C-alpha cells in the first residue's frame, strides 16, 4: 500500500468492509466525496476490534462538504505495519491437526474390524457438490454427526463415518450447455472445493471411503440394481406426461418449470405424453407403510410418508356411458371412491383431460371445446392443477353416464382438477359432500343432492356442504333394490360394496396415492440405463451384467436435440449396436437415470467401497447394517427416504442385504436462516411509510434498512431517526439471490473452525430452525479463548503463548472432582440425546468454576479436554499434546461420571443471630458445630453481624439450624 490513501464515500453511510483485509496498512488517508472534494476539518473517533486478517478500528469521520454532513466507516491506517494478534492461535493449531489427521489416516475404518466390538454407523445425507460451495447452513448436520462419531470412537465402538458425492445432476449439465465445459470437469472441480471446505472444518470422515455417483466403478452397481428390478418386472416402460418445451426442444424436470414456463428463457411448457421408464414402487406400498412403525424416526416424517403412500379403502364402481338416445353403450367409466355411502348423491362425473376414453364419447358438438381445454390443461403442472385454492375450470363433454344405484343420467365433465395418474382418472362428483365438487357444481349450475345428515348439526339453516360421516338419507331405489337410508356411513359403505360386487357394478378396492416412480431423464449427465431395444420389434433386452458398467460416451455437444430425443442419441456409434444373443440390430436406451438413483443405495457401498465383485460383501453388510443415525434435511423426508427404502426392500428380497430397513434412526436438523433483514416502505415522494399503516403497503416501494439504522421499541423494530416508522424484521433461507449467504470460509478465517462448530451447535436445539448472527459467534470464541488460557496461561507481552501449560500434578479437591463429574454427566447425556447446545452450556459452567480455583490439577483438566474434543477437536488435540501425550486423543477413553461425585451431600443451613434468621450457609451433611460456625463467620452477609462481636453461646441442631447468641462478656469473634 502507498503511504497515503485516498478513499471515496457516498452521501449514504457505507462500509469499506474488507478491502484491506489481508494486507497491513501504513500511512494516512484523505476522505473524498464522489466529486473529489475533500472533507473540511474531519474529526476521528476510533473503536478497536481484533479480526483474523488485520487489527482494525472503526473510524467515524465527520466533516462537511457544502451544506451536507457526511459519514464514512473505514479501516484504520497506522504509521507502521500492524502485527496480527489473536485471542488464541487457532490459525496455527487447526491446519496443524488437520495435516496430522490426514497424514496418519486417524479416522480410517479398517476393512476388517473386530466384529466383537459394538458398531456405530453415522451418516450424513449425500451432498450435491454445487459450484457455490458450502454456506454456514451446511455444517450444522455435519458437525452433529461428527460429534456423535467422535464420542462413539472414544467409547470403544467401531465407527463408520464416511463422505461422498451425489454428483450427477442438472446444474452441471446446464453449465455444460451454456459454456461447452464437460459436466465431469465441472463436477470434479466442485467436489474438490467441497472436500477442501469440509476438511477445513475438522470433520472426522474416513476419506479412504470417499465415493462419487459419477464414477463408473460406482454406477456399475446402480445399473446392476436396475437390472434386478427389470428382471423382476419392477422396471417397465409406459406412456406418461412430461414437461415439454417446444422452444427449447427438450423435456424439462419439474424444478426447471416455474409458473408454466421454462426457468431458462421463460418459454411456454406443455404436458406431453412420452414413453418413459417407470419403477413399480407401488408393489411395495403395503410393506413401506407397515414397516414405518419399527423405525426410530421423527413421527412427523413417518406421517409424511404415510400420507404420501396414501393407503385408503373404498370401492371401484362402474358407470355405463350412455349414447345420444340415453341407452347404455358397451363402454364404462370406472371410478374409485372412499365414500360409497354417498353414491346416491353423485349428480355428475369428471374425467381428466387425458382420460383414455374421452375421445370415444365426446360429442361432435363439444369436441372443439374439449380439445381446446385439453391444450389449456397441458400447460399446467400436476401441482397447479390440484391446488385447492385455485378456481375450478372445466368443460362439458356432451355425454352422460348412468348412476348405477338409481339409474339417473348424469353429465360427464372434463376438468383439470382430476389427474389421469391418480386413481382411475375419473371421479363421481358428490357436490353436497365434497368441497371441491361443490365449488365446481355451483359455478356450472349442476344439481346438488344431500344424502348424508350431520347428526351434530341441528340448525335449520340452508344446506351447506358436509364432507363428514353421518346418517344416510335420500338413498334408496326400487329399480335396483338398494336401500341404505338411516344407516350410518360405515354401515352404508359396506352395504353398497356388497351390492356392487353381487350385481357386477363394482368391487371393494384398496387404493394408494403413491404413484410408480418415473425413472428416466432426457439428459446426458446421468447413469446410462443398461437396456437394448431391438430395431425390428421394439422389444427390450437387458445388457449382460458382465458388460457393466455401461459408461457414458464422450460428447462435445450437450444441447437438446429439439425433437425430444435425449442428447445421448447424438452418440450414434454408441447408440447403434446388436443384441449379442441374437445378433439382431438394436439401439441402446438413450434416456439416463434420474439424480435420485445413485443416492438410493450409497450407504451400502460405503461399507465396502472398493469391492469389484459385489455391491457389498455379505459379512460386512451384516455387521454394519443398518445405518444407526442418518442426519439430513426434512426436505428429503419423502422422496429420497422412500426411494431408498424401496430399493433396500428389493435388495432384501433377493438376499443382498440382511435388514428390512436401511436407516434405524433418522434425525432432521433445523434450517439456519440468513441474518435478520429489516424491511421498510417508501411512498412515491420517497417518504417512509410505517408497516402498521392503514395504507396498502403493496403500492409502495419496498427497501431494506441496514441494522445500524434500526432499534427495538417495545415489541417492534423502528427506524432510529424516526421511531414512528415501524419495520418488518424477517430472516430468510440463505440464497444467492437474496445476498444473505454466509461463507464458512470467512468465518473460519476470522474465528477458526472450532468456533464455527461450537456456534452452530450452541445456536439452539439441533432440530429447530435458527437465525444466523455473525456477532453471536464471538461468545463461543471467547469461551474457547478462556479455555485456552485456563490450560496454557496468559499471553506473553508480545501476545504469543508459551509452549507449556499451567496444569499441576496436585491431587484434585473434592469440589473440583464434583464439578468435573457433574460436567461429564451433563455433556455425555446431552450428546447422546443430541441436545448439543446444553452440552456446551455444561462445559461453560465448568470453565467458570475452574477460574475460581487456585490450581488446575491434571486429573481434572485432562478429562475436561476429552469432553471438549468432540465439539472443538483442534483445540483439544493441541492441549492434549501440550500435556505430554504423543498420540491423538481420538481413541482415548471418553470420561465416565462417577456417581459418588454426583450425589448432593450438601444442605442449606439457616443461621440465626439472637434468634432472628439473618441468612443461610451451604454445609456438608454431618458438618460439625465448629465448622458450621466458621463458614457462617466467613459468609459476606453473616460476617457483618458477627465481626467484632462477643459470643454468649451457640445453639446448633445438625442439619437444622445454627443460632448464635451475642454477649459482650464472652470471647471476641474473628472473621479472619
Amino acid at each position: 500500500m502507498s503511504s497515503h490513501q485516498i478513499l471515496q464515500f457516498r452521501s449514504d453511510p457505507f462500509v469499506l468492509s474488507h478491502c484491506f483485509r489481508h494486507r497491513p496498512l501504513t500511512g494516512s488517508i484523505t476522505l473524498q466525496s464522489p466529486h473529489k472534494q475533500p472533507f473540511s476539518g474531519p474529526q476521528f473517533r476510533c473503536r478497536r476490534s481484533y479480526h483474523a486478517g488485520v487489527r482494525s478500528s472503526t473510524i467515524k469521520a465527520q466533516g462537511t462538504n457544502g451544506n451536507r454532513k457526511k459519514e464514512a466507516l473505514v479501516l484504520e491506517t497506522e504509521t507502521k505495519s500492524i502485527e496480527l494478534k489473536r485471542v488464541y492461535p487457532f490459525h496455527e493449531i487447526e491446519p496443524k491437526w488437520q495435516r496430522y489427521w490426514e497424514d496418519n489416516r486417524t479416522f480410517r475404518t479398517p476393512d476388517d474390524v473386530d466384529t466383537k466390538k459394538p458398531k456405530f454407523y453415522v451418516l450424513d445425507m449425500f451432498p450435491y457438490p454445487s459450484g457455490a460451495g458450502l454456506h454456514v447452513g451446511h455444517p450444522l448436520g455435519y458437525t452433529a454427526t461428527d460429534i456423535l462419531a467422535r464420542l462413539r470412537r472414544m467409547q470403544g465402538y467401531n465407527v463408520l463415518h464416511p463422505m461422498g458425492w451425489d454428483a450427477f445432476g442438472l446444474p452441471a449439465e446446464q453449465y455444460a450447455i451454456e459454456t461447452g465445459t464437460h459436466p465431469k470437469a465441472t463436477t470434479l472441480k466442485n467436489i474438490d472445493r467441497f472436500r477442501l471446505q469440509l476438511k477445513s472444518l475438522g470433520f472426522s470422515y474416513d476419506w479412504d471411503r470417499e465415493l462419487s455417483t459419477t464414477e463408473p466403478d460406482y454406477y456399475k452397481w446402480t445399473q446392476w440394481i436396475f437390472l434386478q428390478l427389470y428382471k423382476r418386472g419392477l422396471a417397465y416402460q409406459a406412456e406418461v406426461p412430461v414437461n415439454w418445451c417446444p422452444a427449447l426442444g427438450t423435456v424439462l424436470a419439474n424444478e426447471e418449470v416455474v409458473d408454466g414456463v421454462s426457468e431458462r428463457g421463460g418459454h411456454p411448457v406443455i404436458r406431453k405424453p412420452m414413453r418413459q421408464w417407470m419403477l413399480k414402487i407401488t408393489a411395495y406400498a403395503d410393506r413401506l407403510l407397515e414397516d414405518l412403525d419399527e423405525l426410530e424416526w421423527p413421527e412427523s416424517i413417518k406421517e409424511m410418508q404415510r400420507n404420501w403412500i396414501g393407503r385408503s379403502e373404498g370401492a371401484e364402481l362402474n358407470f355405463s356411458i350412455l349414447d345420444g338416445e340415453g341407452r347404455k353403450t358397451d363402454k364404462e367409466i370406472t371410478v374409485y371412491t372412499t365414500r360409497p355411502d354417498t353414491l346416491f348423491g353423485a349428480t355428475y362425473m369428471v374425467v381428466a383431460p387425458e382420460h383414455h376414453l374421452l375421445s370415444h364419447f365426446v360429442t361432435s358438438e363439444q369436441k372443439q371445446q374439449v380439445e381446446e381445454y385439453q391444450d389449456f390443461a397441458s400447460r399446467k403442472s400436476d401441482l397447479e392443477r390440484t391446488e385447492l385454492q385455485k378456481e375450478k375450470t372445466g368443460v362439458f363433454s356432451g355425454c352422460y353416464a348412468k348412476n348405477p344405484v338409481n339409474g339417473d343420467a348424469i353429465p360427464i365433465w372434463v376438468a383439470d382438477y382430476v389427474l389421469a395418474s391418480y386413481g382411475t382418472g375419473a371421479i363421481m362428483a358428490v357436490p353436497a359432500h365434497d368441497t371441491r365438487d361443490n365449488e365446481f357444481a355451483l359455478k356450472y349450475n349442476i344439481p346438488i343432492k344431500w344424502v348424508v345428515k350431520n347428526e351434530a348439526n341441528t340448525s335449520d339453516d340452508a344446506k351447506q356442504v358436509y364432507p363428514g360421516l353421518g346418517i344416510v338419507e335420500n338413498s334408496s331405489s326400487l329399480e335396483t333394490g338398494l336401500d341404505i337410508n338411516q344407516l350410518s356411513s360405515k354401515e352404508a359403505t359396506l352395504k353398497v360394496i356388497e351390492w356392487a360386487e353381487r350385481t357386477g357394478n363394482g368391487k371393494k378396492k384398496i387404493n394408494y396415492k403413491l404413484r410408480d416412480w418415473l425413472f428416466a431423464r432426457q439428459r446426458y449427465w446421468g447413469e446410462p440405463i443398461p437396456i437394448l431395444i431391438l430395431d425390428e420389434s421394439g422389444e427390450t433386452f437387458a445388457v449382460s451384467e458382465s458388460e457393466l458398467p455401461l459408461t457414458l460416451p464422450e460428447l462435445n455437444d450437450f444441447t437438446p436435440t429439439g425433437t425430444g430425443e435425449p442428447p445421448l442419441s447424438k452418440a450414434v456409434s454408441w447408440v447403434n449396436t446388436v443384441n449379442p444373443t441374437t445378433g439382431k440390430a438394436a439401439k441402446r436406451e438413450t434416456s439416463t437415470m434420474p439424480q435420485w438413483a445413485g443416492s438410493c443405495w450409497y450407504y451400502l457401498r460405503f461399507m465396502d467401497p472398493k469391492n469389484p465383485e459385489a455391491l457389498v460383501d455379505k459379512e460386512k453388510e451384516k455387521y454394519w447394517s443398518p445405518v444407526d443415525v442418518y442426519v439430513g434435511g426434512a426436505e428429503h423426508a419423502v422422496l429420497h427416504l422412500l426411494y431408498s427404502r424401496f430399493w433396500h426392500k428389493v435388495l432384501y428380497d433377493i438376499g443382498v442385504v440382511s435388514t428390512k430397513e436401511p436407516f434405524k434412526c433418522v434425525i432432521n436438523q433445523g434450517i439456519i436462516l440468513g441474518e435478520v433483514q429489516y424491511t421498510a416502505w417508501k411512498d412515491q415522494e420517497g417518504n417512509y411509510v410505517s408497516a402498521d399503516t392503514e395504507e396498502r403497503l403493496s403500492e409502495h416501494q419496498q427497501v431494506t434498512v441496514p441494522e445500524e439504522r434500526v432499534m427495538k421499541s417495545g415489541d417492534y423494530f423502528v427506524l432510529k431517526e424516526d421511531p414512528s416508522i415501524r419495520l418488518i424484521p424477517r430472516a430468510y433461507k440463505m440464497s444467492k439471490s437474496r445476498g444473505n449467504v454466509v461463507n464458512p470460509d470467512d468465518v473460519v478465517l476470522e474465528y477458526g473452525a472450532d468456533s464455527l462448530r461450537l456456534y452452530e451447535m450452541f445456536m439452539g436445539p439441533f432440530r429447530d430452525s435458527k437465525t444466523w448472527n455473525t456477532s453471536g459467534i464471538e461468545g463461543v470464541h471467547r469461551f474457547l479463548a478462556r479455555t485456552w488460557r485456563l490450560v496454557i496461561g496468559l499471553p506473553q507481552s508480545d501476545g504469543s503463548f508459551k509452549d507449556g501449560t499451567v496444569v499441576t500434578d496436585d491431587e484434585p479437591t473434592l469440589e473440583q472432582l464434583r464439578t468435573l463429574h457433574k460436567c461429564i454427566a451433563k455433556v455425555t447425556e446431552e450428546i447422546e440425546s443430541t441436545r448439543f447446545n446444553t452440552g456446551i452450556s455444561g462445559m461453560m459452567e465448568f470453565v467458570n468454576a475452574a477460574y475460581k480455583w487456585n490450581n488446575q490439577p491434571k486429573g481434572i483438566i485432562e478429562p475436561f479436554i476429552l469432553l471438549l474434543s468432540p465439539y472443538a477437536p483442534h483445540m483439544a488435540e493441541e492441549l492434549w499434546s501440550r500435556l505430554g501425550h504423543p498420540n491423538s486423543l481420538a481413541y482415548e477413553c471418553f470420561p465416565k461420571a462417577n456417581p459418588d461425585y454426583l450425589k448432593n451431600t450438601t444442605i442449606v443451613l439457616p443461621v440465626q443471630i439472637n434468634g432472628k434468621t439473618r441468612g443461610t450457609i451451604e454445609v456438608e451433611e454431618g458438618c460439625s458445630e465448629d465448622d458450621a460456625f466458621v463458614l457462617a463467620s466467613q459468609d459476606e452477609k453473616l460476617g457483618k453481624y458477627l465481626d467484632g462481636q462477643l459470643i454468649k453461646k451457640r445453639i446448633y441442631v445438625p442439619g437444622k439450624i445454627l443460632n448464635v447468641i451475642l454477649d459482650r462478656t464472652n470471647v471476641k469473634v474473628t472473621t479472619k
Side-chain angles (χ1 to χ4, degrees):
M1 300 292 294
S2 65
S3 61
H4 186 84
Q5 321 292 321
I6 298 178
L7 304 176
Q8 288 194 357
F9 64 94
R10 297 182 301 232
S11 58
D12 290 332
F14 73 108
V15 177
L16 300 171
S17 56
H18 291 291
C19 51
F20 305 121
R21 182 172 189 171
H22 304 298
R23 289 186 288 179
L25 304 180
T26 59
S28 61
I29 56 173
T30 296
L31 301 180
Q32 287 185 343
S33 75
H35 303 293
K36 298 188 178 179
Q37 296 171 317
F39 270 156
S40 61
Q43 301 168 344
F44 295 94
R45 296 198 302 273
C46 301
R47 183 179 72 251
R48 297 189 183 279
S49 59
Y50 293 85
H51 300 287
V54 296
R55 191 182 75 188
S56 66
S57 294
T58 300
I59 298 177
K60 181 171 287 188
Q62 294 184 335
T64 58
N65 179 19
N67 296 320
R68 302 185 63 185
K69 193 174 183 180
K70 307 294 182 181
E71 271 190 8
L73 297 177
V74 301
L75 293 178
E76 176 186 27
T77 63
E78 295 184 351
T79 56
K80 60 180 181 179
S81 295
I82 299 171
E83 294 297 327
L84 185 63
K85 294 181 181 180
R86 293 183 173 87
V87 291
Y88 78 95
F90 62 83
H91 63 296
E92 298 171 356
I93 293 170
E94 293 179 354
K96 168 187 172 181
W97 286 102
Q98 288 163 17
R99 286 193 300 271
Y100 176 93
W101 295 328
E102 186 156 0
D103 292 345
N104 291 275
R105 299 163 78 193
T106 302
F107 307 114
R108 177 178 176 269
T109 303
D111 289 335
D112 298 312
V113 297
D114 180 1
T115 56
K116 294 178 182 177
K117 292 174 63 176
K119 65 92 176 177
F120 184 66
Y121 186 0
V122 57
L123 185 63
D124 299 293
M125 288 189 184
F126 232 12
Y128 173 75
S130 68
L134 298 176
H135 63 62
V136 292
H138 293 110
L140 178 65
Y142 304 154
T143 304
T145 58
D146 195 59
I147 291 171
L148 293 170
R150 289 176 179 274
L151 172 70
R152 289 291 188 242
R153 283 192 199 95
M154 298 172 78
Q155 290 177 331
Y157 286 71
N158 289 324
V159 172
L160 186 57
H161 187 37
M163 176 52 72
W165 319 106
D166 187 14
F168 279 125
L170 293 173
E173 182 158 358
Q174 194 61 49
Y175 187 73
I177 292 170
E178 294 169 359
T179 66
T181 306
H182 197 287
K184 184 172 184 179
T186 304
T187 299
L188 291 176
K189 179 181 177 182
N190 293 346
I191 287 174
D192 288 343
R193 173 166 167 73
F194 260 68
R195 186 191 303 110
L196 189 65
Q197 287 184 296
L198 291 177
K199 286 186 176 182
S200 76
L201 297 174
F203 298 133
S204 61
Y205 294 124
D206 178 359
W207 287 107
D208 285 6
R209 293 176 183 260
E210 178 185 7
L211 53 83
S212 168
T213 55
T214 61
E215 294 302 320
D217 286 347
Y218 180 85
Y219 70 68
K220 165 185 178 177
W221 298 105
T222 309
Q223 292 173 332
W224 182 87
I225 295 172
F226 176 85
L227 291 182
Q228 311 316 305
L229 294 163
Y230 177 76
K231 292 173 184 177
R232 287 158 180 79
L234 297 172
Y236 65 95
Q237 287 186 299
E239 289 279 337
V240 296
V242 297
N243 300 313
W244 170 252
C245 179
L248 297 178
T250 187
V251 174
L252 301 178
N254 287 334
E255 56 266 37
E256 295 177 291
V257 181
V258 179
D259 296 329
V261 298
S262 62
E263 185 178 38
R264 180 168 61 95
H267 303 294
V269 175
I270 63 173
R271 300 285 280 173
K272 173 183 175 180
M274 185 175 287
R275 196 157 183 80
Q276 300 276 36
W277 283 98
M278 309 289 292
L279 296 188
K280 202 170 186 178
I281 190 173
T282 51
Y284 282 73
D286 279 328
R287 289 167 62 182
L288 289 168
L289 192 62
E290 292 163 3
D291 292 345
L292 281 171
D293 294 334
E294 302 174 17
L295 300 176
E296 298 175 25
W297 292 17
E299 192 56 39
S300 60
I301 299 300
K302 292 198 284 187
E303 193 60 27
M304 288 173 71
Q305 291 215 356
R306 291 187 186 105
N307 291 336
W308 190 265
I309 295 168
R311 185 183 188 277
S312 62
E313 295 185 7
E316 275 189 351
L317 300 170
N318 303 320
F319 288 69
S320 296
I321 298 174
L322 304 177
D323 62 18
E325 303 298 324
R327 296 186 296 263
K328 287 175 57 176
T329 67
D330 59 353
K331 290 183 172 58
E332 292 181 331
I333 297 176
T334 300
V335 303
Y336 171 78
T337 178
T338 59
R339 295 293 304 274
D341 59 313
T342 64
L343 184 51
F344 280 91
T347 58
Y348 68 102
M349 299 188 73
V350 179
V351 297
E354 307 86 2
H355 195 281
H356 66 286
L357 288 178
L358 180 55
S359 61
H360 295 282
F361 62 77
V362 63
T363 62
S364 56
E365 295 83 1
Q366 293 296 110
K367 185 175 182 181
Q368 183 178 345
Q369 276 188 283
V370 168
E371 288 176 348
E372 289 173 355
Y373 187 79
Q374 287 176 314
D375 180 67
F376 165 76
S378 72
R379 301 178 188 279
K380 295 183 181 181
S381 69
D382 289 353
L383 187 62
E384 290 174 299
R385 286 171 56 174
T386 55
E387 172 58 49
L388 292 177
Q389 303 304 318
K390 84 175 187 75
E391 183 181 359
K392 306 299 181 289
T393 63
V395 62
F396 179 41
S397 70
C399 191
Y400 292 79
K402 180 182 179 181
N403 186 326
V405 291
N406 56 18
D408 289 352
I410 59 177
I412 305 172
W413 283 73
V414 183
D416 63 0
Y417 74 84
V418 176
L419 303 177
S421 59
Y422 178 66
T424 64
I427 65 165
M428 66 175 208
V430 185
H433 304 292
D434 182 276
T435 302
R436 189 176 52 176
D437 295 345
N438 184 267
E439 292 173 2
F440 192 90
L442 290 174
K443 180 175 181 178
Y444 293 105
N445 297 315
I446 300 172
I448 299 175
K449 181 181 179 182
W450 279 265
V451 293
V452 177
K453 182 166 55 177
N454 180 3
E455 291 183 284
N457 185 6
T458 58
S459 69
D460 295 328
D461 294 343
K463 296 257 187 176
Q464 299 292 322
V465 60
Y466 173 61
L469 304 178
I471 299 299
V472 176
E473 61 182 0
N474 302 322
S475 298
S476 65
S477 171
L478 293 175
E479 180 183 342
T480 61
L482 180 61
D483 183 355
I484 55 174
N485 281 330
Q486 302 309 308
L487 296 180
S488 68
S489 290
K490 184 176 181 180
E491 293 170 329
T493 293
L494 295 175
K495 190 168 182 179
V496 170
I497 292 174
E498 183 274 328
W499 171 85
E501 291 182 331
R502 176 166 45 83
T503 60
N505 284 295
K507 61 183 179 180
K508 184 176 181 179
K509 176 75 173 178
I510 294 174
N511 199 36
Y512 300 90
K513 288 182 183 177
L514 181 67
R515 302 292 91 198
D516 282 342
W517 177 10
L518 195 157
F519 196 76
R521 293 170 63 246
Q522 283 64 55
R523 295 287 185 171
Y524 168 77
W525 193 231
E527 300 92 337
I529 295 175
I531 292 293
L532 301 179
I533 305 164
L534 288 184
D535 289 355
E536 190 176 276
S537 63
E539 191 177 357
T540 58
F541 287 89
V543 170
S544 171
E545 292 180 13
S546 63
E547 295 181 26
L548 301 180
L550 174 61
T551 57
L552 281 168
E554 290 297 325
L555 283 183
N556 296 320
D557 179 11
F558 310 102
T559 58
T561 60
T563 63
E565 286 292 313
L568 278 180
S569 63
K570 298 177 182 180
V572 178
S573 60
W574 181 85
V575 172
N576 292 321
T577 185
V578 295
N579 183 336
T581 304
T582 64
K584 293 182 178 180
K587 287 183 171 57
R588 299 191 189 280
E589 172 60 62
T590 53
S591 292
T592 53
M593 299 184 195
Q595 184 178 349
W596 294 104
S599 61
C600 280
W601 69 279
Y602 70 104
Y603 58 93
L604 293 171
R605 193 61 177 172
F606 277 138
M607 301 174 186
D608 192 14
K610 305 290 193 282
N611 191 335
E613 305 299 328
L615 184 150
V616 61
D617 177 80
K618 286 185 178 293
E619 292 303 314
K620 291 178 180 177
E621 183 280 326
K622 189 174 182 180
Y623 176 73
W624 287 112
S625 284
V627 175
D628 294 285
V629 175
Y630 192 35
V631 174
E635 66 271 19
H636 302 298
V638 176
L639 298 181
H640 163 61
L641 289 174
L642 199 61
Y643 294 158
S644 293
R645 294 181 61 221
F646 166 47
W647 276 31
H648 192 89
K649 290 183 182 302
V650 174
L651 294 174
Y652 176 77
D653 290 347
I654 64 178
V656 174
V657 298
S658 58
T659 62
K660 292 192 298 181
E661 289 286 340
F663 314 117
K664 180 180 178 182
C665 173
V666 168
I667 300 175
N668 298 129
Q669 81 269 21
I671 297 172
I672 292 184
L673 303 172
E675 295 199 67
V676 173
Q677 296 180 352
Y678 300 93
T679 302
W681 284 264
K682 287 184 175 181
D683 61 21
Q684 292 182 347
E685 287 74 37
N687 300 314
Y688 282 107
V689 177
S690 181
D692 62 342
T693 183
E694 294 182 1
E695 300 179 49
R696 294 177 62 182
L697 293 177
S698 60
E699 297 175 356
H700 301 300
Q701 179 189 2
Q702 186 172 306
V703 294
T704 300
V705 179
E707 186 176 7
E708 59 266 22
R709 296 178 58 196
V710 178
M711 70 177 187
K712 189 83 181 288
S713 176
D715 294 332
Y716 304 102
F717 290 90
V718 298
L719 275 177
K720 280 183 180 178
E721 61 262 37
D722 185 356
S724 68
I725 301 299
R726 189 180 298 177
L727 310 176
I728 299 296
R730 184 175 176 184
Y732 297 89
K733 189 174 181 180
M734 289 189 185
S735 67
K736 288 192 295 183
S737 62
R738 287 197 176 273
N740 64 347
V741 171
V742 179
N743 190 329
D745 298 351
D746 295 336
V747 180
V748 170
L749 181 65
E750 191 159 353
Y751 297 101
D754 283 343
S755 291
L756 175 59
R757 291 168 59 111
L758 216 62
Y759 177 57
E760 298 227 345
M761 294 297 97
F762 193 58
M763 290 173 74
F766 179 59
R767 293 165 174 80
D768 292 357
S769 293
K770 298 162 278 283
T771 301
W772 178 267
N773 185 346
T774 301
S775 62
I777 200 171
E778 293 175 359
V780 294
H781 191 57
R782 286 194 298 270
F783 162 68
L784 288 175
R786 295 189 75 216
T787 303
W788 177 263
R789 295 193 301 271
L790 181 71
V791 180
I792 302 301
L794 296 173
Q796 302 178 94
S797 59
D798 63 355
S800 64
F801 292 87
K802 63 181 181 179
D803 291 337
T805 71
V806 295
V807 175
T808 69
D809 291 325
D810 298 342
E811 283 296 317
T813 66
L814 182 60
E815 177 195 356
Q816 289 171 333
L817 287 168
R818 283 179 175 164
T819 302
L820 170 67
H821 285 268
K822 179 182 177 182
C823 183
I824 292 172
K826 175 78 170 178
V827 172
T828 305
E829 180 183 355
E830 302 306 78
I831 294 179
E832 297 271 9
S833 304
T834 64
R835 295 189 294 264
F836 304 107
N837 56 325
T838 47
I840 296 171
S841 298
M843 291 187 286
M844 289 178 169
E845 291 171 6
F846 173 89
V847 170
N848 289 339
Y851 263 90
K852 299 175 183 178
W853 302 337
N854 295 324
N855 62 353
Q856 307 300 333
K858 194 172 187 178
I860 299 295
I861 296 301
E862 282 193 343
F864 175 71
I865 292 171
L866 296 177
L867 286 181
L868 178 68
S869 65
Y871 287 92
H874 305 91
M875 175 180 281
E877 289 276 22
E878 181 66 18
L879 296 177
W880 189 254
S881 174
R882 292 194 181 203
L883 285 170
H885 300 282
N887 298 319
S888 166
L889 53 65
Y891 294 92
E892 293 291 327
C893 291
F894 198 76
K896 293 183 179 179
N898 185 334
D900 291 341
Y901 295 124
L902 301 179
K903 295 175 182 176
N904 187 9
T905 59
T906 61
I907 59 172
V908 176
L909 184 73
V911 178
Q912 293 182 343
I913 308 296
N914 290 334
K916 186 173 183 179
T917 301
R918 296 294 186 179
T920 61
I921 55 175
E922 192 172 283
V923 301
E924 295 288 329
E925 288 181 356
C927 177
S928 68
E929 179 181 334
D930 288 341
D931 288 341
F933 181 71
V934 170
L935 289 171
S937 301
Q938 294 174 344
D939 182 82
E940 182 179 355
K941 181 180 178 181
L942 295 169
K944 293 187 296 183
Y945 295 98
L946 299 174
D947 191 20
Q949 301 298 317
L950 299 176
I951 305 299
K952 180 177 180 180
K953 65 175 179 177
R954 300 186 309 221
I955 302 170
Y956 180 62
V957 180
K960 300 293 184 181
I961 198 168
L962 171 65
N963 188 5
V964 181
I965 309 298
L966 301 179
D967 187 283
R968 296 185 181 278
T969 62
N970 284 331
V971 182
K972 187 176 181 180
V973 176
T974 176
T975 60
K976 303 298 183 185

